[in-house]
Amino acid sequence: MAFLIMACEGDLKPKQLFAIDLAGKKTQFSYGEQVPISIKNKKGKTIDKVRYSIDGKELEVKDGLISLNITRLGSKKLKAVIDYEGTTAEITRNIKVLADKAPEVYTYEIINEYPHDWKSFTQGLEFYKDTLYESTGSGGAAKSFIRKLDYKTGDVLRQKDLAKNYFGEGITILNDKLYQLTWRSGTGFVYQVSDFNELGNFQYDQSKEGWGLCNDGKVIYKSDGTEKIWLLDPETLSELSHIETVTNKSIFNKANELEYVDGKIYANVWEKESIMIIDAKTGAIVGVINMAGLKNKVRKHENLDVLNGIAYNPSTGNFFVTGKNWDILFEIKIMKK
């Protein structure tokens, strides 16, 4: 009988032997929080050592506490590697690590207004070498396109249409290459920015849809309609990793069109008159810009749609925003409320 008991215990899975015990059985924490932690030893094993980690980074344990000073926030697996009785077990626990501060609130001031094609269903907007580029999305008989524009007059300097089976989405430009997403086709395109000559295409990996794009000069960031913003290698277009957009209260999943400026990602909030400011390293939403009132200033028609399209012009130090089927491109200055 003793032999049978030992054999059965030897077949037990790690989670049947141990569990990670967090104080108060909480599952949601704040960045930097000191959290009491221990191992629940279900079968009375002799434990020699325990190591905790998140995202492959080992967490220091001091006085029974771990500090959640992790690089990226969001949904995480807290892992424990347990050395016991000459063997090792690995167990995990799902937790959420949120921002430690509420987002600051910003507003805007209109600096200039410029003409914009009210038939453009704007999906992507970006300045490159003081020239504005735009991508649109359309389905059915209509075509999506990318454009090079004189932003002051609205004149189209160059245009390339997509095949009718593609619904165009966000764009970004890096090292004289223009990258464009499509919505649900799982395909992106790469063009020579000078003449829109197609250089190739790429397929999405874990992300299922294409929404917005931006870059920091080295890495491309891609939103996909979820809480995740993916980091892409600009050469292979493979998804290297991701951040998750979080506030101090929840994980947020509404990032649409993107723009990168000085370590922050500015993102249109899907179907909202607001723009969120995201820390590009941690995913923390550090600010929210209230854009209410802009839509009231554009021409009213049956196809008028939501705010979408944000571009930063280093030459002026201001942001440019518009919307889907809006007849005005607004140059704005952002300031704390």
Side-chain angles (χ1 to χ4, degrees), residues 33-70:
E33 185 173 344
Q34 301 288 315
V35 181
I37 192 168
S38 61
I39 293 296
K40 184 177 181 181
N41 192 345
K42 299 179 181 180
K43 298 296 181 180
K45 299 295 183 180
T46 301
I47 296 176
D48 302 309
K49 187 178 181 180
V50 181
R51 299 178 298 282
Y52 300 100
S53 64
I54 293 178
D55 292 339
K57 181 181 178 181
E58 188 166 338
L59 305 175
E60 182 184 0
V61 182
K62 188 175 182 179
D63 299 327
L65 302 172
I66 56 169
S67 178
L68 295 177
N69 292 316
I70 63 175

Side-chain angles (χ1 to χ4, degrees), residues 181-187 202-213 221-226 228-232 237-242:
L181 299 175
T182 60
W183 184 21
R184 290 178 170 171
S185 304
T187 301
F202 60 96
Q203 303 301 307
Y204 306 161
D205 188 5
Q206 297 180 66
S207 60
K208 303 304 180 186
E209 296 184 357
W211 286 42
L213 283 178
Y221 298 85
K222 173 185 185 288
S223 62
D224 65 354
T226 72
K228 296 176 181 177
I229 295 179
W230 298 87
L231 280 66
L232 276 59
L237 282 308
S238 59
E239 294 165 3
L240 304 173
S241 60
H242 69 269

Side-chain angles (χ1 to χ4, degrees), residues 92-335:
T92 61
R93 178 165 176 172
N94 294 327
I95 64 171
K96 294 179 181 179
V97 185
L98 305 181
D100 58 339
K101 296 178 182 178
E104 295 191 89
V105 180
Y106 293 78
T107 186
Y108 66 92
E109 175 187 354
I110 297 174
I111 305 301
N112 280 303
E113 298 180 10
Y114 302 103
H116 181 254
D117 181 1
W118 65 273
K119 295 181 181 179
S120 290
F121 197 74
T122 305
Q123 301 285 34
L125 202 65
E126 184 157 336
F127 276 97
Y128 186 68
K129 297 181 179 179
D130 205 33
T131 300
L132 185 64
Y133 294 81
E134 180 180 21
S135 67
T136 68
S138 294
K143 290 184 178 180
S144 300
F145 56 77
I146 51 174
R147 279 178 174 174
K148 177 180 180 180
L149 299 164
D150 181 332
Y151 75 87
K152 292 183 179 179
T153 65
D155 292 342
V156 178
L157 306 178
R158 186 179 296 277
Q159 178 170 322
K160 184 180 182 70
D161 295 339
L162 273 70
K164 291 182 179 180
N165 56 309
Y166 290 113
F167 191 102
E169 284 282 348
I171 57 170
T172 196
I173 305 169
L174 177 62
N175 298 329
D176 295 329
K177 294 179 182 178
L178 188 151
Y179 301 82
Q180 181 187 32
L181 299 175
T182 60
W183 184 21
R184 290 178 170 171
S185 304
T187 301
F189 296 95
V190 185
Y191 309 94
Q192 188 67 38
V193 73
S194 59
D195 56 10
F196 291 168
N197 179 48
E198 186 177 325
L199 300 176
N201 60 68
F202 60 96
Q203 303 301 307
Y204 306 161
D205 188 5
Q206 297 180 66
S207 60
K208 303 304 180 186
E209 296 184 357
W211 286 42
L213 283 178
C214 66
N215 75 84
D216 64 3
K218 295 180 180 179
V219 173
I220 293 174
Y221 298 85
K222 173 185 185 288
S223 62
D224 65 354
T226 72
E227 73 281 0
K228 296 176 181 177
I229 295 179
W230 298 87
L231 280 66
L232 276 59
D233 182 310
E235 295 301 322
T236 65
L237 282 308
S238 59
E239 294 165 3
L240 304 173
S241 60
H242 69 269
I243 58 173
E244 295 181 22
T245 52
V246 305
T247 67
N248 59 317
K249 294 184 178 180
S250 66
I251 296 175
F252 199 69
N253 64 351
K254 296 289 186 178
N256 194 7
E257 221 283 270
L258 309 178
E259 182 72 3
Y260 181 96
V261 183
D262 296 333
K264 303 293 190 297
I265 296 173
Y266 292 73
N268 285 124
V269 181
W270 172 236
E271 294 189 322
K272 300 291 183 181
E273 293 186 58
S274 61
I275 292 169
M276 52 186 169
I277 307 172
I278 304 160
D279 186 304
K281 289 185 178 180
T282 67
I285 301 172
V286 296
V288 176
I289 310 166
N290 184 350
M291 302 300 296
L294 272 189
K295 191 175 180 180
N296 296 333
K297 298 179 180 294
V298 304
R299 172 187 169 188
K300 304 300 182 292
H301 56 89
E302 63 179 359
N303 294 320
L304 185 64
D305 213 312
V306 297
L307 173 80
N308 199 51
I310 177 170
Y312 177 75
N313 189 345
S315 297
T316 67
N318 293 326
F319 285 88
F320 288 67
V321 297
T322 189
K324 300 174 185 291
N325 303 128
W326 287 21
D327 68 339
I328 300 175
L329 172 71
F330 296 93
E331 181 179 2
I332 63 170
K333 186 178 291 293
I334 295 170
M335 49 200 172

